[in-house]
Amino acid sequence: MSWHATILTLFPEMFPGPLGVSLAGRALREGIWRCEALDIRSFATDRHRTVDDTPFGGGAGMVMRPDVADTAIAAAMPDGDRRPLVYLTPRGRLLDQAMVRDFAAGPGIVLFCGRYEGLDQRVIEARGMREVSLGDYVLSGGEVAALALLDACVRLLPGVMGAAESAVEESHSAGLLEYPHYTRPAEWQGRAVPPVLLSGHHAEVARWRRHQSEAATRERRPDLWNRIQVAGTQAPA
Ligand code: ADE
């Protein structure tokens, strides 16, 4: 059984989009995963196929109607569908690699992409939707976030990643940022590669990389660094 992604969106033509090429595209053609995009508008019932309305309480923008959203969700998820239902919104819990691993280990995912000011809260609660955010910035809709989430999941499916990508995944799992990478030429525009990398001393190289990872994490991501300290995790060298 292939990993099954269903996307509810007002722009189904955005899928699989960039996921139709490279690693994810090959996996799609090989049947490792399936991607099905449903047009939320096709579940509207009025003559104008309305999907949104003005917010109760006033204010700017429009809100996606709960009745139309619920009908679309019912069509996407037959009874007994065990896949998590995720609503992509900047109000959601921040997506991280642990969440991605969890989604990838299951039967698939149903993603609801919001537009306008958002989705009526009642359908979020009634359907037990998991609200997930890609980061602390506002996209014009959930679609680009859905593509990012799917990309992160699909690369973890068995048979998708090669050895090189697997190694990167392991390194991120240790909780530190990656060390910097270099390749030929050894000197470029007057810039030399750090000499230790040309030394052939594997232990020295490992020590240098470890130091670079720690320094980058401390400096750029104090949140990650503090979490590692608190957990008392000794990340592998
Ligand atoms: N929709 C709009 N902005 C978003 C974000 N940051 N994450 C997830 N979905 C979004």
Side-chain angles (χ1 to χ4, degrees), residues 35-121:
C35 181
E36 166 192 33
L38 301 181
D39 187 354
I40 296 169
R41 197 174 295 283
S42 70
F43 299 96
T45 50
D46 66 320
R47 208 156 55 82
H48 301 291
R49 303 218 292 162
T50 313
V51 295
D52 60 344
D53 210 329
T54 53
F56 280 123
M62 300 290 273
V63 178
M64 292 178 89
R65 291 171 54 131
D67 51 350
V68 177
D70 189 65
T71 309
I73 293 164
M77 307 183 79
D79 281 348
D81 195 327
R82 292 187 306 106
R83 294 175 297 164
L85 172 60
V86 168
Y87 170 44
L88 293 152
T89 165
R91 264 172 53 87
R93 228 186 95 193
L94 216 52
L95 182 69
D96 62 16
Q97 191 66 11
M99 221 190 283
V100 167
R101 253 182 249 124
D102 203 43
F103 291 143
I109 198 163
V110 181
L111 299 172
F112 190 99
C113 301
R115 284 270 156 174
Y116 316 114
E117 288 313 299
L119 176 56
D120 188 291
Q121 182 64 24

Side-chain angles (χ1 to χ4, degrees), residues 17-35:
L19 302 180
V21 299
S22 191
L23 223 59
R26 197 188 63 204
L28 195 56
R29 287 187 295 279
E30 287 174 351
I32 295 176
W33 71 295
R34 282 196 290 150
C35 181

Side-chain angles (χ1 to χ4, degrees), residues 88-90 114 132-142 145:
L88 293 152
T89 165
V132 172
S133 169
L134 208 63
D136 293 334
Y137 41 81
V138 181
L139 303 167
S140 16

